[in-house]
Amino acid sequence: MEVFSGRPRSLERHPLIGRSRQRASLLDPHSVAGQVFFLQVVIVVLLVAAAVAAVVLQTARDAVERGRRESVVAAQAFASAPGTAEALQSPDPTAVLQPRTEEARKRAGVDFVVALNTQGIRYTYPYPREIGKKFVGTIGPALKGRTVVEQAGGPPLPTGRGTAVQAVVPVTDSHGKVVGLVSAGITVKNVAALWMPELPIILGSGAAALALATTGTTLVARRLHRQTHGLAPAELAQQYEHHDAVLHAVREGVLITDADGRLLLANDETRRLLGLPADVQGRPVRELGLSEPITRLLSSPEAVTDEVHLAGDRLLAVNKRPAYPEAGRGGSVVTLRDTTELAAVSGRAEVARERLKLLYEAGVRIGTTLEVGRTAQELADVAAPQFADLVTVDLLDAVLRGWEPTAEGWRHLRRAAIGGEQWMIPVYPLGEVITFSRLTPQMRTLQERRVMLEADLRQAHGWREQDPARARKALECGLRSLVVVPLRARSVPLGVVNFYRMVDSPAFQPEDLFFAEELAARAALAIDNARRFTREHAMAVTLQRSLLPRAQPDQDALEVAWRYLPAEAGVGGDWFDVIPLPGARVALVMGDVVGHGLHAAATMGRLRTAVHNFSTLDLPVDEVLGNLDDLVVRMDNDERAGDAAEGHEGEGVTGATCLYAVYDPVAGACSMARAGHPEPVVVRPDGTVTCPGVPASAPLGLGGYPFETAELSLPEGSQLVLYTDGLVEDRTHDIDIGMERLRQALGGSGRRTPEETCQAVIDALKPSHSFDDIALLAARTRVFPPSRVTEWDVPSDPAVVPSVRARCRETLREWGLEEAGFATELILSELVTNAIRYGSPPVGVRLLNGRCLICEVSDGSGTSPRLRRAATTDEGGRGLFLVAQFAQRWGTRYTTRGKVIWTEQLLHEGTSAATSRTPVDFLLDQFDDPDA
């Protein structure tokens, strides 16, 4: 049943009420009307149920009483009927009494009439099968002549099962003797139907009561809806609680007055602002004891907007509006705001806003680089002058070097940064090591790990005792207060930051300490990151430089210069090498391992060592790169498998590039091959810059790809420039632009030395911020003059060995190396003899006169001689031993036509060093039998 429909008239005045927008129903258990209605329904139902129960009980009681009377009458009437006593004494009582009892039952309207003997055996029963059985009931009193009325159950009756109300009376003969018994009864089931006619009356009454309850509830619901705007009780309570909580918690005074000027409501803030007592509600405004302006304002009906009035020592901003403008009831609502406290709060809010802005600025400006000193200066520049007039940052010397700081170095701090405009104040200069005493705020800050506040430096005895003269001058210059904050990261002390304020600035207060700590914490993290980067960068650079060439090797083929510039963010895997080879040749290597850091540097060292090993085999340049490619593949697989076994993602080598070139100064030719590396640049003696067109091959580590070789003819004085991609490739421009800039830097440098060439290229192409390593190598070619090279063919006949020695002696005489003649003739004769005896034609000899004397004997065989110690009984086997003792170095290299056995003898002012160091007699003594 609907109580109302449509929107209530006052709904627009209550936009915050949610349930007033819904239709209220009597069946809504959340509404007051619904709850009352359900309560009334329950009461009506209970009353109807109670009435029905009472009627049933009363009817059942009346039915039992009626049954008792009718049973006694029926039993006594049959027992007193003529012939009943004689029939009980007849030979067949059943035959006589059965028809009579049935007829009497039907006439009397009872459910049974039973004749019994004195033993309680039935003579009659409505069902013949029950005759002769024991009677169910009490017969003792009846045998004594009394009537018995009781409720008892028995065999089935024609009317059905049920509890019977039965009477048992005695049957006496003419002498008064009990000769039998008669029982008559009626079942309760039959009499219970007497209450059914009363049921419609009861239900009708209940329906009428329910209709009245519904009508009353509807009227009450409509009134409640108008008064509560459709709110449920819980919502009413919630609205009141919210109203009360907001009213008394808001930091604004609220007053409500009626049309007569009586105070209806005043919240706690109003009482505080106006000094009102607690029992002011209901009293006239003029009796509150307020000042005349405030009283006149509260009593007048005019509206007021943001008027400022003085109430005691407070300035109140007052707003006044009518309380019930639509209802026309009069009254006003007044709000009071304390502008004095609001100004203070606004000032604190502004300070907090400026602090947050400064923290944001610190997060952006501090830590822009990974340099410790620069990061410390950024902290000083951010804090001054917005937070302090003067800021100094003192760091442990280990932090500036990138080391792990220890407590032993706390007393010695280095001034790392100074910020602020107060440069006239005598403070320790940048870079000076300061030894703080135990009582200074700086040392106490490090030891106690907390901020130190010196609000008045004139009273700071520990600070003044550090340097009395400097402290006195600083106070005279206007230094006022100090906050010292420890710089800590990962529980590791890094140093301290000192915030100073002058006399014309407010002194530091305890509330400034939290901001100082927050600012220092952010800076400490950036400083520690820079320190750790400095340490790792220094370690990687040290490792990188230790793996690169430290000095130029002695060789005659090239004039070499190089540059290596590590990246700012970490070293990479760039490397270069100059490797002297047999025959006065020189190998030039330039490579780059993908990646940065220690892993790339270590991988670079392994590859450089491998290139050295491969170069000793004197293999062609493409075979060297092929072997290096296989090594990179194995290294990559090993590292991935090792990391996977440890449960880590494998880094692997991930690839490398390499350029390998071999220059022969005798032929003036250079053979080279490159594996994914930038192409070299050749500067001709006339200054022409060209790229030799070396075919590009796949980078190292891919496996299975061949490498192509290029043969170049380089005139004497040509410069071969090798470099890594960090020189010509940058994030700001493409590699083609970098190559063009490199050509321009090398243009016209035909007469420059390699050192000047390297410096010119670096000056022109070095980026302001290097994100990758830069390796540069410039080599100017030299050519052996024909006068210092001699070679001839030797017939494959042992008889020509003396002529070989004679020609060697003559050549050494022309070169002015007569003193080296004996050792050289011995070496050459042994090598030629071995070539003729064990090798195959053609046999050739070549002598080179450079930094050392080089002897080369070639033949067409691929077998290599092996140095061994001969026994005393052996006829041979001592020749190579003599060669090894007289030569500084010796070895074998293979060519396309066979092999070359070569030796090198160091020359010092025209003499052989081997001859002066190793006497021939001593060497020959080595072959004597020790037992002889």
Side-chain angles (χ1 to χ4, degrees):
M1 181 177 185
E2 299 293 334
V3 175
F4 74 95
S5 62
R7 185 184 299 272
R9 292 189 300 271
S10 60
L11 182 60
E12 287 75 10
R13 294 203 302 261
H14 302 275
L16 298 180
I17 298 176
R19 301 190 66 88
S20 63
R21 299 178 182 269
Q22 304 176 359
R23 293 192 175 190
S25 175
L26 293 180
L27 299 180
D28 186 3
H30 297 287
S31 65
V32 176
Q35 294 174 2
V36 173
F37 176 71
F38 279 113
L39 179 60
Q40 291 180 345
V41 169
V42 171
I43 293 174
V44 170
V45 170
L46 291 178
L47 290 176
V48 170
V52 171
V55 170
V56 170
L57 293 176
Q58 185 62 37
T59 305
R61 187 179 298 108
D62 293 344
V64 171
E65 291 299 326
R66 178 182 174 185
R68 292 168 65 90
R69 292 194 300 271
E70 291 181 355
S71 299
V72 172
V73 171
Q76 289 179 349
F78 189 81
S80 302
T84 300
E86 289 79 4
L88 288 172
Q89 294 175 353
S90 65
D92 190 4
T94 299
V96 178
L97 295 177
Q98 178 66 17
R100 293 181 182 179
T101 56
E102 286 301 307
E103 183 180 0
R105 177 180 67 80
K106 295 177 180 179
R107 288 181 178 178
V110 295
D111 293 328
F112 65 89
V113 177
V114 181
L116 315 170
N117 62 10
T118 56
Q119 284 77 32
I121 302 301
R122 299 189 191 101
Y123 285 149
T124 65
Y125 202 77
Y127 296 120
R129 65 177 178 273
E130 300 294 332
I131 297 174
K133 296 182 180 180
K134 186 72 173 179
F135 175 73
V136 179
T138 304
I139 62 174
L143 293 176
K144 296 179 180 180
R146 296 196 298 272
T147 299
V148 178
V149 181
E150 63 178 350
Q151 295 181 6
L157 297 172
T159 57
R161 291 184 176 274
T163 302
V165 179
Q166 62 186 13
V168 182
V169 299
V171 179
T172 58
D173 58 7
S174 58
H175 300 289
K177 179 182 178 182
V178 177
V179 296
L181 302 173
V182 175
S183 176
I186 184 170
T187 61
V188 176
K189 179 179 180 182
N190 289 340
V191 300
L194 297 176
W195 63 272
M196 292 298 294
E198 305 292 338
L199 184 60
I201 299 175
I202 297 175
L203 294 180
S205 301
L210 186 60
L212 292 176
T214 303
T215 303
T217 304
T218 301
L219 298 176
V220 172
R222 290 180 176 177
R223 184 173 182 84
L224 286 176
H225 185 270
R226 287 195 302 270
Q227 294 181 347
T228 64
H229 306 287
L231 289 176
E235 292 175 318
L236 286 173
Q238 188 179 33
Q239 287 287 333
Y240 175 78
E241 292 173 356
H242 290 174
H243 166 269
D244 189 66
V246 172
L247 183 66
H248 295 287
V250 69
R251 294 287 293 175
E252 188 167 331
V254 178
L255 291 90
I256 299 179
T257 60
D258 59 8
D260 299 331
R262 293 183 177 273
L263 186 62
L264 299 180
L265 183 144
N267 66 349
D268 295 342
E269 183 68 5
T270 300
R271 294 189 178 96
R272 187 183 70 85
L273 296 176
L274 299 180
L276 299 177
D279 56 343
V280 296
Q281 190 167 344
R283 294 170 57 183
V285 173
R286 296 189 176 276
E287 298 180 3
L288 300 180
L290 301 176
S291 62
E292 182 60 27
I294 296 296
T295 302
R296 185 171 57 255
L297 174 68
L298 297 179
S299 303
S300 65
E302 290 81 8
V304 172
T305 300
D306 290 335
E307 286 190 5
V308 179
H309 291 266
L310 182 63
D313 58 348
R314 301 178 185 274
L315 289 177
L316 303 181
V318 182
N319 287 273
K320 183 178 180 183
R321 293 292 184 274
Y324 310 102
E326 296 183 5
R329 295 166 50 186
S332 303
V333 176
V334 181
T335 60
L336 308 172
R337 185 172 65 253
D338 190 351
T339 59
T340 306
E341 295 185 1
L342 183 61
V345 172
S346 299
R348 290 194 295 269
E350 181 65 21
V351 172
R353 188 185 67 83
E354 292 296 332
R355 295 283 173 86
L356 289 176
K357 181 180 178 181
L358 183 57
L359 286 179
Y360 172 78
E361 183 180 355
V364 174
R365 293 177 54 186
I366 298 176
T368 57
T369 66
L370 289 174
E371 298 179 8
V372 176
R374 178 60 183 168
T375 304
Q377 187 61 48
E378 290 171 347
L379 168 61
D381 293 340
V382 167
Q386 301 181 66
F387 178 66
D389 298 318
L390 174 66
V391 179
T392 60
V393 181
D394 303 325
L395 299 178
L396 299 175
D397 200 51
V399 174
L400 292 170
R401 298 174 183 268
W403 302 340
E404 194 73 21
T406 58
E408 288 76 9
W410 285 5
R411 291 193 60 188
H412 306 286
L413 300 179
R414 187 179 296 273
R415 179 60 48 87
I418 301 176
E421 299 296 335
Q422 308 296 333
W423 292 101
M424 73 291 296
I425 298 178
V427 296
Y428 292 102
L430 284 175
E432 183 172 343
V433 177
I434 308 171
T435 302
F436 288 103
S437 64
R438 184 175 54 87
L439 298 179
T440 58
Q442 290 80 2
M443 185 56 58
R444 292 176 57 196
T445 293
L446 287 175
Q447 292 175 344
E448 301 178 17
R449 303 180 180 182
R450 64 185 181 90
V451 184
M452 291 293 172
L453 170 62
E454 296 290 351
D456 188 356
L457 288 177
R458 293 172 298 179
Q459 307 299 326
H461 301 290
W463 176 78
R464 299 183 63 178
E465 291 176 1
Q466 170 67 26
D467 192 337
R470 193 186 301 269
R472 184 177 62 257
K473 293 180 180 179
L475 293 175
E476 292 174 356
C477 292
L479 213 58
R480 178 177 184 178
S481 60
L482 166 67
V483 171
V484 184
V485 186
L487 294 172
R488 299 177 58 84
R490 300 178 296 106
S491 300
V492 176
L494 306 176
V496 296
V497 54
N498 307 290
F499 300 102
Y500 293 94
R501 282 185 180 175
M502 307 295 291
V503 292
D504 54 352
S505 300
F508 285 113
Q509 300 298 324
E511 54 266 22
D512 295 322
L513 302 184
F514 175 77
F515 174 78
E517 282 185 296
E518 183 66 21
L519 187 62
R522 299 192 179 196
L525 183 60
I527 292 174
D528 187 60
N529 290 337
R531 178 194 65 82
R532 298 174 67 182
F533 170 79
T534 301
R535 180 188 61 185
E536 295 180 4
H537 185 69
M539 292 173 58
V541 169
T542 302
L543 175 62
Q544 179 88 339
R545 294 191 181 278
S546 67
L547 297 176
L548 293 175
R550 298 189 178 184
Q552 295 188 15
D554 293 335
Q555 45 86 27
D556 298 316
L558 299 170
E559 181 183 354
V560 182
W562 59 66
R563 293 290 188 275
Y564 173 74
L565 302 178
E568 292 181 356
V571 299
D574 294 9
W575 94 93
F576 58 89
D577 217 336
V578 179
I579 306 173
L581 298 178
R585 296 167 304 136
V586 176
L588 299 178
V589 189
M590 181 67 68
D592 186 2
V593 176
V594 176
H596 292 83
L598 294 177
H599 180 266
T603 303
M604 177 272 292
R606 298 171 66 181
L607 295 183
R608 179 171 179 256
T609 302
V611 171
H612 268 273
N613 294 333
F614 293 146
S615 65
T616 59
L617 301 177
D618 213 347
L619 300 175
V621 292
D622 57 337
E623 293 186 23
V624 171
L625 292 183
N627 292 331
L628 199 63
D629 181 57
D630 294 338
L631 175 62
V632 172
V633 171
R634 290 196 302 271
M635 290 168 59
D636 188 65
N637 294 336
D638 292 344
E639 292 191 16
R640 292 183 185 277
D643 290 339
E646 297 176 4
H648 302 287
E649 183 182 358
E651 293 182 357
V653 178
T654 68
T657 65
C658 182
L659 186 147
Y660 185 75
V662 176
Y663 174 68
D664 187 352
V666 177
C670 180
S671 61
M672 63 179 66
R674 61 189 180 108
H677 202 80
E679 188 175 12
V681 177
V682 176
V683 182
R684 301 289 178 175
D686 59 357
T688 304
V689 180
T690 61
C691 291
V694 181
S697 301
L700 302 176
L702 299 182
Y705 293 93
F707 299 96
E708 299 184 49
T709 303
E711 299 289 341
L712 307 178
S713 178
L714 299 178
E716 186 174 12
S718 300
Q719 290 197 36
L720 185 63
V721 180
L722 310 181
Y723 54 90
T724 57
D725 57 358
L727 180 68
V728 296
E729 190 174 10
D730 194 3
R731 298 179 182 178
T732 59
H733 57 75
D734 195 11
I735 189 172
D736 294 336
I737 300 177
M739 289 296 299
E740 182 61 30
R741 294 175 58 192
L742 176 61
R743 294 188 188 96
Q744 294 176 2
L746 292 174
S749 60
R751 297 184 178 274
R752 294 176 182 170
T753 65
E755 188 70 28
E756 294 172 345
T757 299
C758 287
Q759 191 61 44
V761 171
I762 292 299
D763 293 341
L765 275 74
K766 180 184 177 183
S768 57
H769 296 284
S770 179
F771 299 100
D772 194 5
D773 290 10
I774 296 177
L776 174 66
L777 187 147
R780 185 162 62 181
T781 61
R782 298 170 179 164
V783 177
F784 262 76
S787 61
R788 306 185 68 177
V789 180
T790 181
E791 57 181 333
W792 67 92
D793 294 330
V794 178
S796 184
D797 184 2
V800 302
V801 173
S803 63
V804 172
R805 288 199 298 269
R807 186 165 182 176
C808 172
R809 190 181 313 113
E810 180 182 353
T811 302
L812 294 179
R813 186 182 304 112
E814 294 177 358
W815 291 344
L817 302 177
E818 294 88 348
E819 296 185 3
F822 175 79
T824 306
E825 292 179 32
L826 178 62
I827 292 172
L828 199 58
S829 63
E830 290 294 336
L831 294 181
V832 171
T833 302
N834 285 341
I836 295 174
R837 177 176 298 178
Y838 303 108
S840 59
V843 178
V845 175
R846 187 173 73 163
L847 298 180
L848 303 176
N849 181 16
R851 294 177 181 270
C852 60
L853 180 61
I854 302 174
C855 298
E856 295 181 346
V857 177
S858 61
D859 66 82
S861 172
T863 60
S864 176
R866 180 174 61 87
L867 179 65
R868 64 185 181 87
R869 179 177 290 275
T872 56
T873 57
D874 291 341
E875 295 182 359
R878 298 174 177 83
L880 284 181
F881 182 82
L882 291 174
V883 171
Q885 296 300 322
F886 277 96
Q888 181 69 21
R889 293 195 308 154
W890 75 279
T892 304
R893 62 186 177 93
Y894 296 92
T895 65
T896 57
R897 296 179 299 176
K899 70 175 183 296
V900 175
I901 308 298
W902 57 269
T903 64
E904 293 181 358
Q905 299 170 257
L906 294 181
L907 301 176
H908 297 283
E909 298 179 357
T911 62
S912 172
T915 303
S916 61
R917 291 198 313 264
T918 310
V920 177
D921 294 338
F922 174 77
L923 292 175
L924 295 178
D925 289 343
Q926 305 303 312
F927 295 95
D928 292 341
D929 188 353
D931 298 331

